[in-house]
Amino acid sequence: MVVLASVQFNSSIKLKYRDSVHGTVVDHQTVFSEMASLFRVAGLFVVIFVISLLGLVGSHPLCLDFSPPFKPTGGLSFCSEYSTLACCTRDQDDRIAAKYYRSVGAVTNATCAARLKTLLCIECSPLAVHLYDAETTLVKKPFPGLCRAYCADVYRSCPGIVPLVSNSSQLLAAFRNGESDFCNAVRITDVNYCYPDVLTSQEFGPNQTHAYSNTEGCLCLRKFAGSLRNPLLLLSAEDGSGRIFVGEQLGLVNIYYRNGTRRIEFFLDISNVVLDSASPGDERGFLGMAFHPNFRSNQRFYVYYSIGREGAFRNRISEFTTSATNRDTINRTSERVILEMDKPFSNHNGGQLLFGVDGYLYITTGDGGSGGDPFNNAQNLSTLLGKVLRIDVDGRSPGLAYGIPPSNPFVSTPRARPEVFAYGCRNMWRCSVDRGDRQTGYGRGRIFCGDVGQAKWEEVDIIKSGRNYGWNTREGDECYNYMCGRIGPEEYPIFAYNHNVGNCIIGGYVYRGCSSPNFQGLYFFADYGYGKLFRLKELASNAWESKEIFTCGRDVCFNDLTWDFERNILSFGEDETGEIYILTTSYPSTQSFSGSIYQLVDPRRRGDPTSCNSALNTVATSTQASSTTPTTTTTTTSTSTTTPTTTTTRTSTSTTTPTTTTTRTSTTTPTTTTTGPSSSTVDRQQPSWNWSCDFEKRIDGSPDFCDIVQATDDQFDWTIFTGPTPSEPTGPDYAYSLPWYIYIEASNPRLSNDTAKIYLPSPPFPGEYCLSFHYHMFGFHIRELQLFVETTASSPRSTVTIWRSTGQKGNFWLFARVSLSIATNQRIGFIGVRGDEYSGDIGLDAIYLTSNACSA
């Protein structure tokens, strides 16, 4: 494929991308410099990019559903040649076998019968999308692509099997016209994939298939959510409901579902008591959350957040319970304060809450802040700062709102706080409990933490009872002050990297999900400052091999996958099935809606869909499923590289990003006024129906997205934004608003009324409906925003005012809802009513339309 591009050329520009065949990073600075001298035309250059030369057309395994191949559980009995890596489940294999046995009776030649089986089974090939020439057209050809010599042999020797493979009229017409027409019809665009030569290809043959089956390479991302304000938490309640809880730093928790839909009403909103700041990078706020191991029955969960006022620094841990009538919201009067900790400075708050496999609550606290731990808190057992704590939330010890586990290591140590489980921690940011190997259970219960360094080193630790992790005498692998080596036994990190690699570690998770088998057992973590992703792999010798993980290019990450993410990785999360997510932002402020969430996806190999869907269905059909119907809501680019493996000692000072084996051992040890429809308010006599549109999830900005029909007139213009444009409002108040939305621009200063409309799909049956939506205002003098319902046959309409200005100016976000009675011949729309002298913008961010009236 050839692409023509006109670009302003700079001979010093450096383009790097991932060669998806060989796994290398290719630097084309020299190529471009030479091309610049050849194609210079009046300062512009017309450059012909031969995509196959630059490696932008992917030569990777891919199935006809445009997903990676997988290893079928139990193998394939009919198309057994693809049992190692396939695009067919066992059910699909059975269907192919049935088709073969229905047809093979008409074939008398054993050789031709074998070829019939071969051609039918190509659908199971891990290269199926290429063999059927569907990569660029997204349409499967009716017959697999055959190499010319093989095609001629099939045509001459086994012509009778062609109609048994495909009944396409066009293909059969070409077949009747002769060998040449038939072989042209089954010729594919990229002849490198033609069958059977592809089987012996160096790039696509058995060695590559083995690599894709057994090793992780670059990864892709699947966007899960966006338009969040510093998302720091993603976790599940492990109650079988499939709900995913996402916490924002300012004190809000949203409920999402695995398909990306979100409840309108917040699960938790304590933003009025959480102390946070709009300053980028401020470490205070809503920092931690954990569900009780018996949440299914007791509905208790725990949160960690900053409180007080500016200049006073305190962190609080509280218990809440859900509402007795709606488990998708909290009982606002149920807060029980478990523990509060004063600290001398605003930074280094720790904030991780998690329950271990022992049923106790683990808490990470920062060293108190400033720099260098000036009060030596981390080494002082009489303070809770700079520690990992362990408490029993189901018990009570004298004078405490919780119990002290009797096996805590310092319960008998004079002047030591009995809550302390481990110490010598600087500011552990994001810890996780290993679920254990899916088959053997190995690793279950290990607690991994990323401890943010001071000036030189970042580290990953496995938390063990009573261990001293060295801060502030040691940072990572190196001495930090004169007391280094004089504090007794120390627990060294399993991995550390210096500030030439990154400068702020974000602890992650050991992958134990189903969707990406090549990730199994890998510990993923990141660096906030450099926007990098890493993984650790445990070796048989109890050493840990490290590697920076890159995202693949657009040739691999397409369809619903992406390779881009916002630079600042804030946190990691894990859903109920063990899939891992990264939480990111392009501007780390609690007032910025630039936060997004992405699921980590292996484009080389996926889990067997039958097995993975079974796991999902187990979650989805739980008796503890959410009581409400979910309703829809709602960049740093890296490239992949294969780097050499080197072996270092525990005190490695490597400053590059090669794969590193470290010989460290470890042992297994705004407030919304909207609510979704409650199940208790649903009229069971009316059919259920809902429609939703989250504008920020649409990537191409086409005017028909979400089935919305637009109308414009001379006065108003409904415009779809797909990211910042020169005409979008700018400045500090606007720069970090929602990245995708529709907005109405009121540009006529004399207009007092308007006729601009935006329509929603007509509901399928008459009745009561609840319309809810998120929208925002930009620097406006718009008088009001109206909702209207009109018949499809005529123009008369009835309007309802859903927002009216009270003199506000600037920009802000709003949430509203309204109950509507809709007839079959009516449709719903919005209208913006212009005010006086200045133009303004109304941005619609997400709309939800659900059958039945809005709940109270």
Side-chain angles (χ1 to χ4, degrees), residues 227-231 248-250 252 266 589-593 670:
S227 304
L228 296 164
R229 288 165 287 187
N230 271 15
E248 299 175 84
Q249 189 174 351
L250 69 167
L252 305 174
F266 294 117
S589 166
T590 58
Q591 299 304 306
S592 167
F593 283 80

Side-chain angles (χ1 to χ4, degrees), residues 45 56 100 104 121 123 282 289 353 594 606 617 789 794:
F45 300 86
L56 298 182
Y100 170 81
V104 74
C121 285
E123 188 173 330
D282 194 291
M289 180 174 173
L353 296 180
S594 60
R606 58 177 156 156
N617 291 336
V789 177
S794 60

